[in-house]
Amino acid sequence: MKPSHIEHIGIAVKNLDEQIEYYQKVLGLTCYNVEEVADQKVKTAFFMVGETKIELLESTDPEGPIGKYIEKKGVGIHHIAFAVDKAQDFLDNADKNGVQLIDKTPRKGAEGLNIAFLHPKSTHGVLTEICENPNK
Ligand code: ZN
């Protein structure tokens, strides 16, 4: 049940291209994937840092979750994602512990992962995602 590592850190950005340039030029990382997740109304860009990814999120719609987040809180760290073996077991246990779940069952996220979110009201202000790699 315990997460194996931080799968990624999600960062809300206004301009994906500018931010990609920053991560490549200043941090020396390589953007290895850009993907649109229509379901979440975002375009994402990924960088690998050890076992952990940086996931940049640009909203494709001001009414989408990232668009609304930026309007309310501005750009910056949006969520933290933990890698787990069995997402459903993790969710069931969190549910049992009174955590408010945004997703009661995992759904498909970027990069083919099964993902689910825990509500920040129940996680002391940190929007928390869990990720299960079905190809592992
Ligand atoms: Zn994420």
Side-chain angles (χ1 to χ4, degrees):
M1 186 108 54
K2 192 174 89 170
S4 55
H5 60 283
I6 292 177
E7 215 282 333
H8 63 268
I9 296 171
I11 300 175
V13 308
K14 271 202 175 130
N15 184 313
L16 206 57
D17 293 334
E18 280 175 15
Q19 205 83 353
I20 288 172
E21 194 181 315
Y22 164 77
Y23 276 88
Q24 297 202 136
K25 272 204 183 142
V26 179
L27 289 164
L29 301 172
T30 305
C31 176
Y32 70 90
N33 185 23
V34 174
E35 186 180 341
E36 191 163 335
V37 185
D39 181 45
Q40 288 290 295
K41 300 186 165 78
V42 287
K43 216 162 88 180
T44 60
F46 289 94
F47 303 83
M48 207 76 212
V49 190
E51 259 198 289
T52 301
K53 298 163 193 161
I54 300 289
E55 176 187 54
L56 304 180
L57 302 148
E58 182 193 275
S59 187
T60 55
D61 179 341
E63 290 304 308
I66 294 297
K68 281 190 190 154
Y69 180 87
I70 289 177
E71 167 132 10
K72 251 212 290 206
K73 301 206 168 167
V75 295
I77 292 183
H78 177 257
H79 66 273
I80 182 163
F82 295 97
V84 300
D85 269 350
K86 297 218 166 15
Q88 190 62 63
D89 289 357
F90 187 95
L91 292 173
D92 291 345
N93 185 62
D95 190 36
K96 242 188 274 167
N97 282 286
V99 171
Q100 191 183 331
L101 304 175
I102 293 174
D103 304 292
K104 289 212 185 331
T105 54
R107 58 190 158 88
K108 278 280 170 237
E111 304 201 301
L113 298 175
N114 297 326
I115 63 152
F117 283 94
L118 312 184
H119 200 286
K121 271 185 195 150
S122 295
T123 58
H124 308 274
V126 180
L127 177 59
T128 301
E129 179 182 357
I130 56 154
C131 302
E132 170 195 289
N133 186 346
N135 306 311
K136 217 177 99 185

